[in-house]
Amino acid sequence: AGEVGKLVMLYLAHHLNRPERMANLVNLPIGIQSFSELRTRNMLYVDKTRQIHRLISTGKYYFLSRPRRFGKSLTLSTLRAIYEGRRELFTGLWMEDQWDWNKVHPVIHLSFSSMGYRELGLEQAIRQELLAQGEAFGVSFTQQASIAVMFDELIRKLAQRDGKVVVLIDEYDKPLIDYLDDLPLARANQQVMKTFYSVVKDCDPYLQFLLITGVSKFSKVSIFSDLNHLFDLTFVREAAALTGYTQLELEQYFTAYLQEAADCQACDRATLLEQLREWYNGYSWDGKTRVYNPFSILSFFRAGEFRNFWFETGTPTFLLKLLREQNLYKLDNLTVHERTFSSYDIDYLQAIPILFQTGYLTIKAKQEFGLYTLDYPNREVRESLLDYIISDLRCLHTPMSTPMAVELHQAFAANDLKQVVTLVKSIFKTIPSQIFIANAEHYYHSLIYLVFFYLGQYSESEVNTNDGRLDCVVKTPTHIYVIEFKLDKTADKALAQIKDKGYAEKYRADPRMKVLVGINFSSEQKTVEGWKMENL
């Protein structure tokens, strides 16, 4: 009775205090990209105004590349509010007493993501946007034949009437990324954009500040050939945390939400923070500063559960096509040279720089001699992208309803080796015979590697490849499985190799049962030909 009484008291204390905790929660700005709306609706804002102040105080022309849903649009909206002198929006923020709010500038704010170029064509969409901007500013155009001439005229007339102009351009590359599967149209859009931006350099006397943002900079050189004075913020330390949330910001601004989430997850604060780091942290552009994906963090606190939020907002169809064409599937722990990051040619797209710019890979470390280590930023991206890649390799059009790694985890957890083999067989069932016959070795190693690497999301799984050989170790609470796969050999040979090479020796001190498993795959039969297991 005493224990029951304690539980009742704890329950009552928890729920009686809940309204007080909820009162401390402000609205989460999920999908809100307008700084003024965010501030006037009392939404949570992680104060980035100190970093923004440094940018506008130390430079004039900038370019910034960041993945989608990472705060680029909110940054531009904040800049707009600053240059429009809207001090009331900055009450309580660092910037409030650090800026001369009497210095107001006209702001041309263009967002390519909201232009109707799909329906109208890019040139006509830009023309309509310039006309709308001109109408809003009370500026009439003497001619409308050329969007470049219109852009030039708008800047000059505004500057002459209202003072130097601020130009903010968001998602500059969307008319290209949307058509990477239609290169002729992408090239046409590229030429339109090159013409449009060509007037900016000559407008220097009329410009106060310019910032262009996008997901990728693969077209930066060709589109901005006349803007070689743009300073690229992408890898610069001062912009490393301009977008995204640092660990300190997470714990400072989300205190009430962390407590609420810990209660929902039935864990303590330290455990919750570790899980959040695993799922949503890890993005870095300087190899040192790590930030959380803001969209994922906000969505997590809104939903109250760990899920793939950011990845669900966009399917990387063209990336899967690139990976398939370039036979590139092992994306973890890659070593690349710094030149890789500037390998952006619309006619010769390379998967690795695109994966980096779009947020599927990030910098884990800077090495010597201009080398970098790239890897998945976190669990959310790794789990989701692997699911898509595996589905694509198996010629499925959508990710698996139940990921193969989940089913394998369940089979290993139940110590059901027969089901493990059945699932391994099923991995290859959907591959058309003509494709597999032509690429047997490639498909075998790629699929097995990826599936068991993916399994590491659910079970402790170690997978290493060396000269075409694949070793796998899967650990459950009760067992350690040491697995060797062979192609067109025998299960006996696979088992013998585990013993001869002593793959299981380093686990002898572990009290869990050790199971050696040899599996042979037949390229002719396109299935598992035989398997054997033996307890150590």
Side-chain angles (χ1 to χ4, degrees):
E3 290 300 318
V4 172
K6 288 179 182 178
L7 289 174
V8 171
M9 292 299 291
L10 285 171
Y11 176 86
L12 290 174
H14 170 80
H15 286 275
L16 287 173
N17 288 331
R18 184 183 177 91
E20 182 181 345
R21 288 200 309 274
M22 292 298 289
N24 293 326
L25 304 180
V26 295
N27 295 326
L28 293 171
I30 301 174
I32 304 298
Q33 300 174 346
S34 166
F35 179 73
S36 61
E37 180 182 359
L38 185 151
R39 296 293 288 170
T40 55
R41 290 179 56 185
N42 190 35
M43 291 186 164
L44 185 147
Y45 175 67
V46 174
D47 192 353
K48 299 287 187 178
T49 60
R50 186 167 191 164
Q51 294 100 308
I52 291 173
H53 180 273
R54 181 175 181 181
L55 287 184
I56 60 183
S57 300
T58 58
K60 181 175 179 179
Y61 295 101
Y62 291 112
F63 172 81
L64 176 67
S65 170
R66 286 292 183 270
R68 58 187 167 83
R69 310 304 292 267
F70 227 90
K72 300 185 299 296
S73 299
L74 180 58
T75 300
L76 292 184
S77 181
T78 307
L79 280 161
R80 177 174 183 170
I82 291 170
Y83 280 112
E84 289 179 343
R86 302 189 64 182
R87 181 174 184 168
E88 72 280 3
L89 297 177
F90 294 82
T91 302
L93 300 181
W94 184 91
M95 190 87 162
E96 181 182 10
D97 299 320
Q98 304 294 326
W99 187 251
D100 184 355
W101 297 100
N102 294 315
K103 291 183 178 180
V104 177
H105 295 271
V107 179
I108 299 174
H109 188 178
L110 304 175
S111 175
F112 279 88
S113 63
S114 61
M115 289 187 191
Y117 54 82
R118 283 187 173 274
E119 298 77 24
L120 302 172
L122 181 58
E123 186 168 357
Q124 184 59 25
I126 293 174
R127 180 176 286 105
Q128 286 202 2
E129 180 62 29
L130 290 174
L131 286 170
Q133 296 263 342
E135 183 178 355
F137 283 114
V139 172
S140 58
F141 296 95
T142 57
Q143 57 177 305
Q144 301 177 21
S146 165
I147 56 174
V149 172
M150 291 176 67
F151 192 28
D152 177 86
E153 187 174 4
L154 180 62
I155 293 172
R156 290 173 187 266
K157 284 186 173 181
L158 279 176
Q160 290 164 358
R161 188 190 72 189
D162 302 327
K164 287 191 174 184
V165 177
V166 172
V167 175
L168 306 173
I169 298 175
D170 197 15
E171 303 288 2
Y172 88 95
D173 53 351
K174 201 159 192 315
L176 298 177
I177 290 178
D178 283 355
Y179 295 104
L180 287 179
D181 56 351
D182 186 353
L183 284 182
L185 186 51
R187 292 189 197 101
N189 284 349
Q190 186 179 38
Q191 189 56 47
V192 170
M193 295 164 74
K194 178 178 171 61
T195 301
F196 177 66
Y197 292 118
S198 64
V199 304
V200 173
K201 193 168 187 177
D202 288 338
C203 287
D204 178 71
Y206 307 100
L207 292 175
Q208 176 68 24
F209 182 83
L210 179 142
L211 174 58
I212 298 175
T213 74
V215 169
S216 170
K217 60 176 185 176
F218 62 83
S219 308
K220 177 176 178 290
V221 175
S222 56
I223 290 179
F224 303 137
S225 57
D226 295 321
L227 288 178
N228 51 17
H229 56 318
L230 281 180
F231 184 73
D232 189 351
L233 293 166
T234 303
F235 300 98
V236 177
R237 177 179 52 83
E238 65 187 89
L242 181 62
T243 63
Y245 303 145
T246 65
Q247 186 67 35
L248 182 61
E249 289 170 337
L250 177 74
E251 297 186 38
Q252 175 184 348
Y253 288 93
F254 293 89
T255 302
Y257 279 102
L258 287 168
Q259 183 58 56
E260 183 68 16
D263 290 345
C264 289
Q265 296 292 320
C267 66
D268 58 26
R269 177 186 167 96
T271 301
L272 177 69
L273 287 172
E274 182 57 37
Q275 290 176 328
L276 287 171
R277 274 191 291 269
E278 178 189 353
W279 273 87
Y280 306 123
N281 196 10
Y283 291 90
S284 180
W285 286 271
D286 64 356
K288 296 178 180 179
T289 307
R290 304 283 167 195
V291 295
Y292 287 85
N293 183 316
F295 181 79
S296 296
I297 283 294
L298 294 170
S299 299
F300 166 79
F301 286 124
R302 179 68 179 84
E305 62 180 346
F306 290 98
R307 226 171 52 216
N308 301 323
F309 298 106
W310 174 79
F311 201 94
E312 291 174 354
T313 64
T315 304
T317 308
F318 80 93
L319 288 175
L320 294 176
K321 181 181 178 183
L322 276 181
L323 293 173
R324 193 186 318 124
E325 291 174 349
Q326 297 172 22
N327 288 333
L328 182 62
Y329 297 108
K330 189 178 183 299
L331 301 175
D332 55 299
N333 201 34
L334 297 174
T335 298
V336 301
H337 192 271
E338 59 187 5
R339 287 191 299 271
T340 303
F341 300 127
S342 52
S343 301
Y344 299 93
D345 188 326
I346 199 168
D347 292 302
Y348 303 99
L349 291 174
Q350 295 298 309
I352 291 177
I354 299 297
L355 284 164
F356 169 74
Q357 289 293 334
T358 49
Y360 300 104
L361 294 177
T362 197
I363 295 174
K364 287 299 180 181
K366 285 180 76 172
Q367 305 175 26
E368 294 181 312
F369 312 114
L371 298 177
Y372 290 79
T373 301
L374 302 184
D375 209 332
Y376 299 103
N378 52 44
R379 175 171 179 170
E380 177 183 29
V381 176
R382 175 176 139 173
E383 178 179 299
S384 300
L385 188 56
L386 282 172
D387 192 11
Y388 270 90
I389 292 173
I390 292 167
S391 297
D392 187 63
L393 266 174
R394 298 177 70 201
C395 302
L396 303 176
H397 298 295
T398 58
M400 297 164 279
S401 56
T402 301
M404 182 64 64
V406 173
E407 296 184 21
L408 277 170
H409 165 69
Q410 293 169 341
F412 276 116
N415 301 310
D416 187 349
L417 261 294
K418 185 176 180 181
Q419 177 65 5
V420 169
V421 174
T422 299
L423 290 169
V424 171
K425 286 182 179 181
S426 74
I427 291 173
F428 296 87
K429 277 184 180 178
T430 55
I431 301 175
S433 295
Q434 66 273 19
I435 295 177
F436 185 83
I437 290 170
N439 303 277
E441 192 80 12
H442 162 67
Y443 271 84
Y444 165 74
H445 286 292
S446 295
L447 269 175
I448 291 293
Y449 173 83
L450 287 170
V451 169
F452 277 84
F453 182 71
Y454 186 2
L455 179 61
Q457 297 288 94
Y458 305 95
S459 301
E460 189 178 351
S461 183
E462 303 169 6
V463 186
N464 300 296
T465 57
N466 181 25
D467 296 330
R469 176 174 56 78
L470 188 142
D471 300 325
C472 179
V473 177
V474 178
K475 301 173 184 178
T476 73
T478 58
H479 290 67
I480 296 178
Y481 295 92
V482 182
I483 308 169
E484 177 66 24
F485 293 94
K486 287 293 182 184
L487 180 64
D488 296 328
K489 300 286 176 45
T490 66
D492 286 321
K493 286 189 176 181
L495 202 58
Q497 181 167 318
I498 296 174
K499 297 176 183 177
D500 294 344
K501 299 290 186 180
Y503 292 156
E505 291 304 312
K506 65 178 179 179
Y507 305 108
R508 278 197 177 274
D510 195 297
R512 286 173 286 188
M513 180 177 290
K514 270 71 70 178
V515 183
L516 314 184
V517 184
I519 299 177
N520 183 56
F521 192 87
S522 168
S523 59
E524 182 178 348
Q525 300 173 30
K526 208 181 70 169
T527 189
V528 173
E529 179 270 333
W531 65 283
K532 285 192 174 183
M533 60 170 285
E534 184 178 310
N535 293 333
L536 184 63

